[in-house]
Amino acid sequence: MKGKAYIQLGRIDAATDEFFAVIVEYPETKEAPEANFFIGYCYMLQGKFDQAKQALSLVATDFPGSSFASKAKLCLIRIDGMTQEWSDECFIKSWKDQKNTFENQFF
């Protein structure tokens, strides 16, 4: 999917658009769980945690047999842990420091 390349290039809005296009054009295909997961992942990268949680929860519940369901659950745990433990300022600095390491887990 082109959206993954956009993530690697730091073009998160373009990546999100690509993943939404996959869902709109091919909602019943095997790519749907992956596209939904990466929408949540993009929101997470942007710090839009409420939207990320919503998208990732959808993957976990609507596609429970998918490998992306387990990845979505890991992201949800990470979001919950990080947002509950730290203040916003501390979280943002830490998130930027960890972003590249975390990204490598999904590519």
Side-chain angles (χ1 to χ4, degrees):
M1 280 188 233
K2 231 173 21 172
K4 289 183 191 179
Y6 284 133
I7 291 172
Q8 293 291 328
L9 293 170
R11 297 183 57 200
I12 307 303
D13 288 332
T16 305
D17 291 344
E18 286 295 322
F19 294 123
F20 271 116
V22 171
I23 293 169
V24 169
E25 293 179 37
Y26 312 103
E28 303 298 321
T29 64
K30 65 180 179 157
E31 287 79 14
E34 182 177 8
N36 278 288
F37 168 79
F38 277 107
I39 288 170
Y41 184 71
C42 287
Y43 285 143
M44 188 173 68
L45 292 176
Q46 293 174 313
K48 298 177 181 178
F49 300 114
D50 289 336
Q51 291 169 289
K53 284 180 167 183
Q54 186 177 20
L56 294 165
S57 293
L58 177 107
V59 175
T61 57
D62 288 3
F63 306 101
S66 163
S67 64
F68 288 96
S70 60
K71 292 176 182 182
K73 289 175 187 175
L74 288 173
C75 288
L76 288 166
I77 290 168
R78 187 163 188 136
I79 289 169
D80 284 342
M82 293 178 80
T83 56
Q84 289 174 7
E85 292 175 14
W86 299 327
S87 69
D88 288 343
E89 183 178 313
C90 182
F91 171 77
I92 290 168
K93 181 186 180 316
S94 177
W95 178 252
K96 287 178 181 176
D97 292 344
Q98 295 180 34
K99 182 178 165 189
N100 290 333
T101 302
F102 188 64
E103 239 173 50
N104 291 334
Q105 294 176 0
F106 301 110
F107 291 97

